[in-house]
Amino acid sequence: MTFLGKRKGVSGIISGVFLVAVAVMIFNVLAWQFFQADMHNRVVLEAQQRDWERFNERLAIISVEVGTVYLNFTVKNYGSVAAHVVDLFIRFSNATHQSYSLDVWIPSGNTTRVIGPSKLKLQLTDVYDFQIGTERGNLIAPSEAMIINQSQPGGNQNVPFTLSFVKDSFQYIIGGETWAKAKPAWYINASCSDSVVFRVNITNTYKSNVQLLSGCHMLLVTPDQMGNLNAGYKMFIVAEGATITGGTVPALPAGGQWLPAGKSRYVYYSATSESGTDPTKLSSNPMDLNYLNFVGLFYKVANDPNGTVFGATVAIIAMQIKTVKKL
Amino acid sequence: MINTAIVMGAVMIAWAMGLIGAYQGGTQVQYTLIGERAQEAVVIEHVWFMTGPSKSIIVFVRNVGAREAELVSLYVGGSSYTPNGTWPYTLTTSNKVALQIAYNWAYGTSYLIVAATKRGNQARGEWTA
C-alpha cells in the first residue's frame, strides 16, 4: 500500500485505468457486433446466391422420342448455371401418376439426351405427360400437352409463297370497273359473259426478290357428279393493277412482275393466253358451280447464278361462281 | 476514499460487463435464428391431384436450402391439413417429401398450397386440378 500511500496523482491513474477498461469494453462490443453482422451478411449473400441460381436455371425439353420402350427425351440447358435433374414426374392419360429419381447433370449451354429409368416401361398405347424437377426446385415440362407414344408423321416443308385469308386477299372486278370497286372472289355472283380480272395477294417467303414469269396462271377446275375434274377457266398473269378497258387487259411486261423478299403483292390474272391481252369471260350460260382454284407460279429467284425457272402451286382456293343472264 | 472509489469502479465495471454479456447473448440468439432462417429454403415442386374412391392431393416439397427444414404446417385453399405419415416432418437438404392429404378437389379449380416450416419460411404455389 506504499503506492496508495503516496496520494499525489493517484486519482488520475485510477480514472485512467477505468477509462481504458471502458474503452476496451466498448471496442469489444463494437468488434463483436461487426463480426456478427459480417457473418449474417455472408449467410444472406449465400441465400441470395442460391435464389439467383434457382431463377437463372433454365432448361427446355426440346424433343420427346415416341414409339420407344423407355422414356427418351432431349433437354437443353440454356441458362447460366449447370443443372442437376433429380426428379421425373409422369402422368398417364388414365390419371395414373408415377414419380422416379433421376441423376443427370447438364452443364450450361449443353444439350443432353435423357433416358428414363428402366423401371418405367412404356407401351405403344400410352398417352402421357411428364415433368422433370431439378435439385434447385424448378420444374420443367415439354411443350406438348400430352405425348402419344406412337410414331406419327411430323415432317414439314418450306413453301416459296403463301396466301392470306382476309377480306382483300382474293378479289375480282368485271370489265369497266376499277379496283376501288373490287369484291371478294371466293363467291362470285355475276352476269353471263362478263369479262373478269382476278387478283390474289401472295407473300414471297424467299429472302430474295422473286421474278414472276409470263407462264403464271390461275386454273379453275370443277368436279362433275362423277367426281371428274373439268377445266373451267384458265387465266394467265397480266400487268399489275390491270383493269379491262376497251375489251382488253394490259399484258404482263416483258420483265415480268417482281415480288420483293418477304413482302406481299397482288398478282393479277385475266389473259386467255400467255402474255395475251384478251380478258377471260365468264360462262355465257347461267351456271352455279364450285371450283378448285390452283394458282400456278413460274418464277426466278434474284441473284440465282443458274437462273433456274421454278414452278410452284401456291394453294388451292375453293370458289363458287354463279352466272346469271344479264337483265 | 480512494479505496472506495476503486471498489465502486470495479463494481461498475462488473455490472457493465454483465449487462453487455446479456445483450450479446440475446443478440447472438437473434442472429443465429435469422441466419438459420436465411439458410432454410423449401419449394413446392409438384402437386398431384389423385382420383380414386377418395380424392386426395399429394404435395411434393423439396428442400433447396443449406439447412434441414422442419415442415410443420400444410395449407390447401386457406385451411390447415395434417398429411399422412410422420408429421411434423424434418426434410434434409436436397431431398423431397411427398405429403398426402385427403381432399375433395374439383376439376379445373385452382388451389393455393402453402407448406410452412418451424422457422417461419413458406413454400407456396397455386396449382390447378
Side-chain angles (χ1 to χ4, degrees):
Chain A
M1 297 309 278
T2 315
F3 168 72
L4 292 177
K6 295 175 183 174
R7 297 185 175 187
K8 197 174 181 183
V10 169
S11 62
I13 293 169
I14 292 168
S15 59
V17 168
F18 281 126
L19 206 65
V20 169
V22 168
V24 167
M25 281 167 60
I26 291 171
F27 174 78
N28 278 346
V29 169
L30 290 176
W32 178 85
Q33 184 80 31
F34 173 78
F35 286 121
Q36 288 296 322
D38 185 52
M39 215 149 59
H40 171 73
N41 285 342
R42 210 174 318 140
V43 168
V44 171
L45 275 177
E46 283 170 6
Q48 286 175 343
Q49 174 73 17
R50 279 195 299 276
D51 284 345
W52 183 89
E53 287 179 2
R54 185 168 172 236
F55 296 142
N56 281 279
E57 184 180 71
R58 297 203 174 101
L59 299 179
I61 298 172
I62 54 177
S63 69
V64 182
E65 299 296 324
V66 292
T68 57
V69 176
Y70 299 112
L71 185 64
N72 185 332
F73 57 97
T74 306
V75 186
K76 183 174 177 62
N77 180 354
Y78 63 97
S80 51
V81 290
H84 187 197
V85 178
V86 292
D87 282 321
L88 168 68
F89 301 98
I90 187 162
R91 181 174 67 96
F92 293 92
S93 57
N94 63 359
T96 309
H97 294 80
Q98 291 175 15
S99 160
Y100 297 93
S101 291
L102 294 176
D103 182 16
V104 180
W105 282 94
I106 308 172
S108 180
N110 276 39
T111 303
T112 302
R113 172 163 289 194
V114 180
I115 310 290
S118 55
K119 285 181 280 184
L120 173 60
K121 281 197 173 179
L122 299 173
Q123 309 294 319
L124 282 178
T125 50
D126 280 341
V127 178
Y128 62 91
D129 71 345
F130 73 98
Q131 296 89 29
I132 53 172
T134 69
E135 197 173 4
R136 292 190 181 93
N138 290 314
L139 193 68
I140 298 99
S143 54
E144 302 99 307
M146 291 299 266
I147 296 153
I148 302 165
N149 193 32
Q150 281 187 29
S151 290
Q152 294 169 81
N156 53 49
Q157 184 176 6
N158 291 335
V159 294
F161 305 102
T162 58
L163 298 179
S164 58
F165 283 85
V166 293
K167 182 172 159 283
D168 298 337
S169 300
F170 182 39
Q171 297 177 314
Y172 78 101
I173 54 171
I174 59 172
E177 288 182 343
T178 65
W179 286 105
K181 284 196 157 189
K183 293 182 277 292
W186 292 282
Y187 180 81
I188 296 173
N189 194 341
S191 300
C192 294
S193 303
D194 271 349
S195 300
V196 287
V197 184
F198 289 94
R199 71 176 182 184
V200 60
N201 196 269
I202 291 174
T203 303
N204 171 16
T205 67
Y206 275 95
K207 291 186 169 62
S208 304
N209 296 344
V210 160
Q211 182 187 23
L212 298 181
L213 306 175
S214 59
C216 296
H217 60 274
M218 192 180 261
L219 177 65
L220 275 64
V221 294
T222 180
D224 61 21
Q225 294 296 325
M226 301 299 292
N228 300 309
L229 290 176
N230 302 302
Y233 304 94
K234 185 179 182 185
M235 290 160 267
F236 284 90
I237 186 171
V238 292
E240 272 188 277
T243 57
I244 302 165
T245 46
T248 60
V249 282
L252 183 75
Q257 180 182 343
W258 285 92
L259 294 183
K263 302 276 185 196
S264 301
R265 290 286 184 273
Y266 280 117
V267 180
Y268 294 75
Y269 294 91
S270 181
T272 52
S273 60
E274 187 170 342
S275 302
T277 57
D278 291 335
T280 292
K281 288 184 177 177
L282 296 179
S283 166
S284 54
N285 298 317
M287 285 183 176
D288 187 1
L289 295 174
N290 295 318
Y291 293 90
L292 300 175
N293 179 351
F294 296 82
V295 179
L297 294 178
F298 292 99
Y299 62 98
K300 288 181 180 178
V301 180
N303 304 320
D304 175 8
N306 301 316
T308 311
V309 174
F310 295 97
T313 304
V314 176
I316 303 162
I317 305 168
M319 292 176 68
Q320 183 172 351
I321 301 177
K322 185 177 182 182
T323 46
V324 291
K325 281 210 179 286
K326 280 185 179 166
L327 296 174
Chain B
M1 190 64 182
I2 290 170
N3 289 342
T4 308
I6 291 171
V7 170
M8 281 182 68
V11 169
M12 282 288 285
I13 293 279
W15 174 76
M17 282 179 72
L19 203 67
I20 289 167
Y23 160 74
Q24 283 183 323
T27 313
Q28 176 84 59
V29 170
Q30 207 169 354
Y31 270 121
T32 305
L33 290 176
I34 294 171
E36 286 180 354
R37 193 173 171 193
Q39 286 179 317
E40 183 189 83
V42 288
V43 295
I44 293 179
E45 193 176 30
H46 206 333
V47 175
W48 287 352
F49 293 89
M50 309 294 289
T51 52
S54 56
K55 287 182 179 176
S56 65
I57 296 178
I58 299 178
V59 182
F60 290 87
V61 182
R62 175 170 282 280
N63 185 344
V64 294
R67 168 176 289 278
E68 90 293 336
E70 189 177 353
L71 300 171
V72 292
S73 299
L74 181 67
Y75 300 93
V76 178
S79 303
S80 178
Y81 292 87
T82 302
N84 300 339
T86 310
W87 192 255
Y89 186 87
T90 302
L91 186 57
T92 51
T93 54
S94 296
N95 277 324
K96 75 166 189 290
V97 62
L99 308 172
Q100 183 163 22
I101 57 164
Y103 192 92
N104 189 23
W105 50 269
Y107 184 80
T109 307
S110 293
Y111 296 95
L112 176 65
I113 297 170
V114 180
T117 70
K118 195 176 182 180
R119 293 190 180 96
N121 286 315
Q122 286 186 356
R124 55 167 59 216
E126 196 154 327
W127 296 77
T128 304

mmCIF file of all heavy atoms in Angstrom, chain A residues 21-22 24-30 32, chain B residues 12-27:
data_model
loop_
_atom_site.group_PDB
_atom_site.id
_atom_site.type_symbol
_atom_site.label_atom_id
_atom_site.label_comp_id
_atom_site.label_asym_id
_atom_site.label_seq_id
_atom_site.Cartn_x
_atom_site.Cartn_y
_atom_site.Cartn_z
ATOM 1 N N ALA A 21 -10.388 0.654 -19.366
ATOM 2 C CA ALA A 21 -11.272 -0.525 -19.258
ATOM 3 C C ALA A 21 -12.583 -0.301 -20.001
ATOM 4 O O ALA A 21 -13.048 -1.175 -20.755
ATOM 5 C CB ALA A 21 -11.547 -0.824 -17.785
ATOM 6 N N VAL A 22 -13.140 0.864 -19.839
ATOM 7 C CA VAL A 22 -14.403 1.177 -20.535
ATOM 8 C C VAL A 22 -14.183 1.200 -22.054
ATOM 9 O O VAL A 22 -14.989 0.652 -22.825
ATOM 10 C CB VAL A 22 -14.964 2.529 -20.020
ATOM 11 C CG1 VAL A 22 -16.104 3.009 -20.920
ATOM 12 C CG2 VAL A 22 -15.454 2.388 -18.598
ATOM 13 N N VAL A 24 -11.924 -0.398 -23.739
ATOM 14 C CA VAL A 24 -11.742 -1.779 -24.220
ATOM 15 C C VAL A 24 -13.089 -2.484 -24.329
ATOM 16 O O VAL A 24 -13.380 -3.189 -25.310
ATOM 17 C CB VAL A 24 -10.785 -2.554 -23.276
ATOM 18 C CG1 VAL A 24 -10.829 -4.054 -23.564
ATOM 19 C CG2 VAL A 24 -9.371 -2.034 -23.415
ATOM 20 N N MET A 25 -13.933 -2.257 -23.340
ATOM 21 C CA MET A 25 -15.261 -2.884 -23.380
ATOM 22 C C MET A 25 -16.067 -2.404 -24.591
ATOM 23 O O MET A 25 -16.686 -3.206 -25.311
ATOM 24 C CB MET A 25 -16.039 -2.552 -22.092
ATOM 25 C CG MET A 25 -15.623 -3.411 -20.918
ATOM 26 S SD MET A 25 -16.251 -2.773 -19.375
ATOM 27 C CE MET A 25 -17.972 -2.807 -19.661
ATOM 28 N N ILE A 26 -16.031 -1.104 -24.826
ATOM 29 C CA ILE A 26 -16.779 -0.561 -25.979
ATOM 30 C C ILE A 26 -16.222 -1.130 -27.278
ATOM 31 O O ILE A 26 -16.963 -1.551 -28.175
ATOM 32 C CB ILE A 26 -16.723 0.978 -25.968
ATOM 33 C CG1 ILE A 26 -17.539 1.514 -24.779
ATOM 34 C CG2 ILE A 26 -17.235 1.562 -27.279
ATOM 35 C CD1 ILE A 26 -17.377 2.995 -24.539
ATOM 36 N N PHE A 27 -14.882 -1.189 -27.361
ATOM 37 C CA PHE A 27 -14.268 -1.733 -28.575
ATOM 38 C C PHE A 27 -14.689 -3.188 -28.786
ATOM 39 O O PHE A 27 -15.016 -3.600 -29.905
ATOM 40 C CB PHE A 27 -12.740 -1.629 -28.460
ATOM 41 C CG PHE A 27 -12.026 -2.285 -29.604
ATOM 42 C CD1 PHE A 27 -11.929 -1.652 -30.847
ATOM 43 C CD2 PHE A 27 -11.487 -3.559 -29.460
ATOM 44 C CE1 PHE A 27 -11.292 -2.284 -31.905
ATOM 45 C CE2 PHE A 27 -10.862 -4.190 -30.517
ATOM 46 C CZ PHE A 27 -10.759 -3.545 -31.737
ATOM 47 N N ASN A 28 -14.674 -3.935 -27.689
ATOM 48 C CA ASN A 28 -15.062 -5.351 -27.799
ATOM 49 C C ASN A 28 -16.497 -5.495 -28.301
ATOM 50 O O ASN A 28 -16.778 -6.335 -29.162
ATOM 51 C CB ASN A 28 -14.929 -6.020 -26.425
ATOM 52 C CG ASN A 28 -13.507 -6.425 -26.170
ATOM 53 O OD1 ASN A 28 -12.685 -6.447 -27.084
ATOM 54 N ND2 ASN A 28 -13.173 -6.715 -24.917
ATOM 55 N N VAL A 29 -17.369 -4.679 -27.744
ATOM 56 C CA VAL A 29 -18.770 -4.755 -28.165
ATOM 57 C C VAL A 29 -18.899 -4.422 -29.653
ATOM 58 O O VAL A 29 -19.569 -5.129 -30.418
ATOM 59 C CB VAL A 29 -19.653 -3.808 -27.315
ATOM 60 C CG1 VAL A 29 -21.043 -3.678 -27.918
ATOM 61 C CG2 VAL A 29 -19.746 -4.309 -25.897
ATOM 62 N N LEU A 30 -18.212 -3.356 -30.070
ATOM 63 C CA LEU A 30 -18.295 -2.953 -31.483
ATOM 64 C C LEU A 30 -17.709 -4.027 -32.399
ATOM 65 O O LEU A 30 -18.276 -4.359 -33.448
ATOM 66 C CB LEU A 30 -17.567 -1.618 -31.697
ATOM 67 C CG LEU A 30 -18.241 -0.396 -31.074
ATOM 68 C CD1 LEU A 30 -17.383 0.854 -31.263
ATOM 69 C CD2 LEU A 30 -19.619 -0.172 -31.695
ATOM 70 N N TRP A 32 -17.402 -7.217 -31.777
ATOM 71 C CA TRP A 32 -18.291 -8.391 -31.770
ATOM 72 C C TRP A 32 -19.495 -8.144 -32.696
ATOM 73 O O TRP A 32 -19.868 -8.989 -33.494
ATOM 74 C CB TRP A 32 -18.744 -8.641 -30.332
ATOM 75 C CG TRP A 32 -19.699 -9.801 -30.214
ATOM 76 C CD1 TRP A 32 -19.383 -11.111 -30.098
ATOM 77 C CD2 TRP A 32 -21.115 -9.723 -30.207
ATOM 78 N NE1 TRP A 32 -20.501 -11.868 -30.021
ATOM 79 C CE2 TRP A 32 -21.602 -11.048 -30.084
ATOM 80 C CE3 TRP A 32 -22.040 -8.684 -30.297
ATOM 81 C CZ2 TRP A 32 -22.937 -11.349 -30.043
ATOM 82 C CZ3 TRP A 32 -23.381 -8.990 -30.243
ATOM 83 C CH2 TRP A 32 -23.822 -10.303 -30.115
ATOM 84 N N MET B 12 -18.860 -1.192 -10.830
ATOM 85 C CA MET B 12 -19.468 -0.632 -12.055
ATOM 86 C C MET B 12 -19.034 -1.409 -13.292
ATOM 87 O O MET B 12 -19.830 -1.734 -14.176
ATOM 88 C CB MET B 12 -19.065 0.844 -12.206
ATOM 89 C CG MET B 12 -19.837 1.802 -11.319
ATOM 90 S SD MET B 12 -21.515 1.992 -11.890
ATOM 91 C CE MET B 12 -21.271 3.022 -13.301
ATOM 92 N N ILE B 13 -17.729 -1.700 -13.326
ATOM 93 C CA ILE B 13 -17.200 -2.447 -14.491
ATOM 94 C C ILE B 13 -17.859 -3.822 -14.566
ATOM 95 O O ILE B 13 -18.306 -4.273 -15.628
ATOM 96 C CB ILE B 13 -15.665 -2.599 -14.360
ATOM 97 C CG1 ILE B 13 -14.971 -1.230 -14.493
ATOM 98 C CG2 ILE B 13 -15.129 -3.596 -15.378
ATOM 99 C CD1 ILE B 13 -14.769 -0.744 -15.887
ATOM 100 N N ALA B 14 -17.928 -4.460 -13.407
ATOM 101 C CA ALA B 14 -18.536 -5.794 -13.378
ATOM 102 C C ALA B 14 -19.990 -5.737 -13.820
ATOM 103 O O ALA B 14 -20.465 -6.578 -14.611
ATOM 104 C CB ALA B 14 -18.432 -6.374 -11.966
ATOM 105 N N TRP B 15 -20.705 -4.721 -13.372
ATOM 106 C CA TRP B 15 -22.124 -4.572 -13.744
ATOM 107 C C TRP B 15 -22.258 -4.342 -15.256
ATOM 108 O O TRP B 15 -23.093 -4.948 -15.937
ATOM 109 C CB TRP B 15 -22.710 -3.391 -12.965
ATOM 110 C CG TRP B 15 -24.114 -3.061 -13.366
ATOM 111 C CD1 TRP B 15 -25.247 -3.721 -13.037
ATOM 112 C CD2 TRP B 15 -24.502 -1.968 -14.199
ATOM 113 N NE1 TRP B 15 -26.336 -3.130 -13.598
ATOM 114 C CE2 TRP B 15 -25.902 -2.031 -14.329
ATOM 115 C CE3 TRP B 15 -23.809 -0.934 -14.838
ATOM 116 C CZ2 TRP B 15 -26.617 -1.115 -15.087
ATOM 117 C CZ3 TRP B 15 -24.531 -0.026 -15.578
ATOM 118 C CH2 TRP B 15 -25.913 -0.111 -15.701
ATOM 119 N N ALA B 16 -21.368 -3.461 -15.755
ATOM 120 C CA ALA B 16 -21.419 -3.157 -17.192
ATOM 121 C C ALA B 16 -21.103 -4.401 -18.017
ATOM 122 O O ALA B 16 -21.736 -4.666 -19.039
ATOM 123 C CB ALA B 16 -20.438 -2.036 -17.521
ATOM 124 N N MET B 17 -20.148 -5.191 -17.538
ATOM 125 C CA MET B 17 -19.793 -6.415 -18.295
ATOM 126 C C MET B 17 -20.955 -7.404 -18.297
ATOM 127 O O MET B 17 -21.230 -8.061 -19.300
ATOM 128 C CB MET B 17 -18.537 -7.046 -17.693
ATOM 129 C CG MET B 17 -17.269 -6.307 -18.109
ATOM 130 S SD MET B 17 -15.782 -6.998 -17.386
ATOM 131 C CE MET B 17 -15.642 -8.504 -18.288
ATOM 132 N N GLY B 18 -21.636 -7.462 -17.162
ATOM 133 C CA GLY B 18 -22.813 -8.334 -17.099
ATOM 134 C C GLY B 18 -23.894 -7.881 -18.067
ATOM 135 O O GLY B 18 -24.494 -8.691 -18.802
ATOM 136 N N LEU B 19 -24.079 -6.578 -18.090
ATOM 137 C CA LEU B 19 -25.084 -6.004 -18.995
ATOM 138 C C LEU B 19 -24.738 -6.299 -20.449
ATOM 139 O O LEU B 19 -25.571 -6.744 -21.259
ATOM 140 C CB LEU B 19 -25.126 -4.486 -18.759
ATOM 141 C CG LEU B 19 -26.400 -3.773 -19.157
ATOM 142 C CD1 LEU B 19 -27.547 -4.202 -18.256
ATOM 143 C CD2 LEU B 19 -26.202 -2.257 -19.065
ATOM 144 N N ILE B 20 -23.457 -6.070 -20.760
ATOM 145 C CA ILE B 20 -23.011 -6.309 -22.153
ATOM 146 C C ILE B 20 -23.129 -7.792 -22.501
ATOM 147 O O ILE B 20 -23.553 -8.168 -23.590
ATOM 148 C CB ILE B 20 -21.563 -5.803 -22.329
ATOM 149 C CG1 ILE B 20 -21.549 -4.268 -22.304
ATOM 150 C CG2 ILE B 20 -20.956 -6.317 -23.624
ATOM 151 C CD1 ILE B 20 -20.178 -3.671 -22.161
ATOM 152 N N GLY B 21 -22.768 -8.637 -21.546
ATOM 153 C CA GLY B 21 -22.872 -10.080 -21.775
ATOM 154 C C GLY B 21 -24.296 -10.501 -22.076
ATOM 155 O O GLY B 21 -24.553 -11.277 -23.000
ATOM 156 N N ALA B 22 -25.219 -9.951 -21.309
ATOM 157 C CA ALA B 22 -26.638 -10.288 -21.524
ATOM 158 C C ALA B 22 -27.094 -9.809 -22.903
ATOM 159 O O ALA B 22 -27.775 -10.529 -23.639
ATOM 160 C CB ALA B 22 -27.485 -9.636 -20.437
ATOM 161 N N TYR B 23 -26.648 -8.596 -23.249
ATOM 162 C CA TYR B 23 -27.013 -8.043 -24.559
ATOM 163 C C TYR B 23 -26.447 -8.910 -25.678
ATOM 164 O O TYR B 23 -27.143 -9.253 -26.642
ATOM 165 C CB TYR B 23 -26.489 -6.606 -24.669
ATOM 166 C CG TYR B 23 -26.382 -6.116 -26.086
ATOM 167 C CD1 TYR B 23 -27.515 -5.766 -26.818
ATOM 168 C CD2 TYR B 23 -25.134 -6.021 -26.713
ATOM 169 C CE1 TYR B 23 -27.399 -5.327 -28.124
ATOM 170 C CE2 TYR B 23 -25.022 -5.596 -28.020
ATOM 171 C CZ TYR B 23 -26.158 -5.244 -28.719
ATOM 172 O OH TYR B 23 -26.054 -4.827 -30.006
ATOM 173 N N GLN B 24 -25.159 -9.268 -25.505
ATOM 174 C CA GLN B 24 -24.522 -10.076 -26.557
ATOM 175 C C GLN B 24 -25.194 -11.441 -26.675
ATOM 176 O O GLN B 24 -25.389 -11.938 -27.780
ATOM 177 C CB GLN B 24 -23.041 -10.242 -26.251
ATOM 178 C CG GLN B 24 -22.244 -8.981 -26.591
ATOM 179 C CD GLN B 24 -20.756 -9.173 -26.361
ATOM 180 O OE1 GLN B 24 -20.349 -9.849 -25.416
ATOM 181 N NE2 GLN B 24 -19.951 -8.562 -27.201
ATOM 182 N N GLY B 25 -25.543 -12.012 -25.541
ATOM 183 C CA GLY B 25 -26.210 -13.323 -25.567
ATOM 184 C C GLY B 25 -27.529 -13.250 -26.321
ATOM 185 O O GLY B 25 -27.807 -14.075 -27.202
ATOM 186 N N GLY B 26 -28.317 -12.223 -26.013
ATOM 187 C CA GLY B 26 -29.618 -12.055 -26.691
ATOM 188 C C GLY B 26 -29.459 -11.818 -28.175
ATOM 189 O O GLY B 26 -30.152 -12.424 -29.009
ATOM 190 N N THR B 27 -28.516 -10.939 -28.490
ATOM 191 C CA THR B 27 -28.295 -10.612 -29.913
ATOM 192 C C THR B 27 -27.780 -11.833 -30.679
ATOM 193 O O THR B 27 -28.151 -12.067 -31.821
ATOM 194 C CB THR B 27 -27.300 -9.445 -30.031
ATOM 195 O OG1 THR B 27 -27.687 -8.431 -29.124
ATOM 196 C CG2 THR B 27 -27.280 -8.881 -31.439
#
